[in-house]
Amino acid sequence: MAEHHEKKEESLMEKIADKIHGGDDSSSSSSDSDHDDHPKKSSSPASPSSMKSKINRLFGREKPVHKVLGGGKPADVFLWRNKKISGGVLGGATAAWVLFELLEYHLLTLVCHALILALAVLFLWSNASAFINKTPPRIPQVHIPEDPVLQVAAALRNEINCGLATLREIASGRDLKKFLAIIAGLWVLSIVGSCCNFLTLFYIVFVLLHTVPVFYEKYEDKVDDFGEKAWIEIKKQWAVFDAKVLSKIPKGPLKDKKKA
């Protein structure tokens, strides 16, 4: 009887174990089937920027507009990062243009009047200091470190030499397209200069620097898309001009030697 009872307990334990393992297998198989029925979703949805077609930036630009303008405080002023400073600079330039251009106030006259006013104030202050028991005015001395001046002079020298080398290369006629483009640009600039004087031209450039970059940064994609289409059309017209005109111009001996 005891052995029969032990056999019953063992068979009962085996049935319970089989049920447990069978339940685990069924749950695992159901989870696998559910996993197969429902395909895995992507963990991160595709961003709108990745779905956008890549737009070619103007002039092959890869850096942001702020970096193209040199970064730092000048770029902040041009891009209106601080509206008070940018507005003050543009307002000061506008006031100077109105003073010298519209009111026809000359620079030498302005400097002389400012110096007369400063000397008069200093004279009155120096002579009245004994009566009002105040110290006479102290005129500060200007101290400019030598190293920054030498660095600016060296950088300016390098830029001048680079400009002269570029001018020499253009004048040699090796690149006819660049030569014609420079001639056309200088001709357009001469026409603009004949319509207005240097101060007005400088003020127009100054206003453009304070308006065009911030407008371009705001509507960057639209402007680049339009610029890409315009550049494709310019290339087509240039190819026609090259085939009909430039290709018929006899080339110099320098290029023939290079090809040989």
Side-chain angles (χ1 to χ4, degrees):
M1 290 292 292
E3 292 177 0
H4 182 66
H5 184 68
E6 288 177 0
K7 287 181 180 179
K8 282 185 177 180
E9 288 180 355
E10 289 177 1
S11 62
L12 182 62
M13 293 296 293
E14 288 175 359
K15 288 181 180 179
I16 293 172
D18 291 334
K19 285 184 179 180
I20 292 173
H21 289 299
D24 291 339
D25 293 336
S26 63
S27 63
S28 62
S29 62
S30 63
S31 63
D32 292 336
S33 62
D34 291 339
H35 181 73
D36 294 334
D37 292 338
H38 300 284
K40 186 178 180 181
K41 295 182 180 179
S42 60
S43 58
S44 60
S47 61
S49 60
S50 63
M51 306 223 11
K52 265 185 173 182
S53 59
K54 187 177 179 181
I55 300 175
N56 293 327
R57 299 301 181 189
L58 284 177
F59 310 110
R61 178 179 61 84
E62 297 180 355
K63 298 179 181 179
V65 182
H66 191 270
K67 293 291 184 183
V68 172
L69 293 175
K73 292 183 179 180
D76 293 340
V77 173
F78 291 143
L79 294 175
W80 294 75
R81 295 289 190 262
N82 191 327
K83 294 183 178 180
K84 292 182 179 180
I85 296 177
S86 300
V89 172
L90 187 59
T94 304
W97 179 76
V98 170
L99 183 66
F100 293 116
E101 185 64 23
L102 297 183
L103 301 180
E104 297 182 353
Y105 207 79
H106 298 287
L107 179 62
L108 183 60
T109 306
L110 178 64
V111 171
C112 291
H113 288 176
L115 289 175
I116 290 171
L117 180 61
L119 289 173
V121 170
L122 291 174
F123 176 78
L124 293 176
W125 191 353
S126 300
N127 289 278
S129 60
F131 299 100
I132 59 179
N133 295 325
K134 286 189 176 181
T135 57
R138 295 178 59 186
I139 299 177
Q141 294 181 353
V142 179
H143 295 281
I144 301 177
E146 185 177 357
D147 292 338
V149 175
L150 294 176
Q151 291 175 1
V152 171
L156 185 62
R157 180 195 60 191
N158 293 334
E159 292 296 330
I160 292 174
N161 291 332
C162 183
L164 292 175
T166 304
L167 182 63
R168 190 184 305 112
E169 182 182 358
I170 294 171
S172 64
R174 296 176 184 175
D175 192 345
L176 187 59
K177 294 180 181 180
K178 186 184 291 185
F179 177 77
L180 293 177
I182 296 297
I183 293 296
L186 291 174
W187 180 67
V188 171
L189 189 61
S190 66
I191 293 176
V192 174
S194 63
C195 298
C196 56
N197 57 15
F198 178 75
L199 182 61
T200 302
L201 184 61
F202 180 79
Y203 176 70
I204 291 173
V205 173
F206 193 80
V207 172
L208 290 176
L209 284 174
H210 279 78
T211 52
V212 174
V214 66
F215 174 81
Y216 174 68
E217 189 182 38
K218 188 175 181 180
Y219 303 100
E220 186 174 358
D221 294 336
K222 295 181 180 179
V223 174
D224 287 337
D225 186 32
F226 177 78
E228 184 179 2
K229 294 177 181 178
W231 182 244
I232 293 173
E233 186 63 28
I234 290 172
K235 280 186 175 180
K236 290 180 181 178
Q237 298 300 326
W238 179 261
V240 173
F241 178 73
D242 190 10
K244 292 183 177 180
V245 179
L246 296 181
S247 60
K248 297 179 180 179
I249 298 175
K251 297 179 180 179
L254 184 61
K255 282 192 174 181
D256 295 338
K257 288 181 180 179
K258 283 186 178 180
K259 288 183 178 178

